[in-house]
Amino acid sequence: MCSILLSINPEYVEKIMNGSKKFEYRKRECKRKIDRIVIYSTAPVKKIIGEAEVEKVLVDSLEKIWKITKDFSGIDKIFFDSYYRDKDYAVVYQLKNIVEYASPRDLSEYGISNAPQSFQYIQE
């Protein structure tokens, strides 16, 4: 098992932290089995603000994924369809045990100099 650092828009980070977004959508599945996601809030925040355990990874057709995740997606169907345009399937990380750090952390605390475009494996 391992952890990844995900770059996430501050709007969605807020929804993850307040519990209205329990699914994080991606276009590709990580090759390694992931058990924890470290959450980096992109500009203007530019800080690591928390983490979440991965309850499960869902990989399925767009129709099935939307049906399963829509109530706690934190996004609307228009955004979902736009994000997955020209894709046949979706990858979704179902989040649990979300923790917001008391003090946001810098990437350098994890030995990282630049925020990843998609994700980055991190050492425990």
Side-chain angles (χ1 to χ4, degrees):
M1 301 295 236
C2 69
S3 299
I4 57 171
L5 175 74
L6 283 184
S7 294
I8 303 174
N9 182 295
E11 172 189 353
Y12 302 121
V13 170
E14 185 177 326
K15 290 179 179 186
I16 290 169
M17 292 302 145
N18 72 25
S20 63
K21 182 172 177 28
K22 296 182 180 180
F23 298 97
E24 180 56 28
Y25 298 86
R26 296 291 151 156
K27 293 177 182 170
R28 293 180 315 173
E29 186 175 6
C30 296
K31 290 184 166 66
R32 301 180 196 168
K33 188 163 174 60
I34 304 303
D35 63 349
R36 185 174 70 114
I37 293 173
V38 175
I39 301 167
Y40 174 81
S41 187
T42 59
V45 179
K46 296 184 178 180
K47 295 279 188 184
I48 296 170
I49 57 79
E51 62 185 65
E53 290 178 36
V54 176
E55 185 167 340
K56 64 174 101 165
V57 181
L58 307 168
V59 181
D60 213 323
S61 70
L62 301 178
E63 183 179 314
K64 287 182 184 176
I65 289 293
W66 183 251
K67 186 176 181 182
I68 293 167
T69 65
K70 66 182 176 184
D71 292 338
F72 288 98
S73 65
I75 59 175
D76 61 27
K77 183 72 162 74
I78 294 167
F79 182 89
F80 179 88
D81 289 342
S82 173
Y83 183 72
Y84 286 112
R85 183 180 356 197
D86 301 327
K87 299 292 181 190
D88 296 323
Y89 68 93
V91 176
V92 182
Y93 294 98
Q94 184 173 348
L95 308 176
K96 68 176 184 177
N97 300 328
I98 297 160
V99 174
E100 185 169 4
Y101 299 151
S103 298
R105 301 174 183 173
D106 291 321
L107 288 170
S108 60
E109 293 181 46
Y110 291 80
I112 300 169
S113 55
N114 295 309
Q117 279 291 94
S118 177
F119 72 89
Q120 182 171 338
Y121 294 105
I122 56 174
Q123 299 296 324
E124 296 296 323

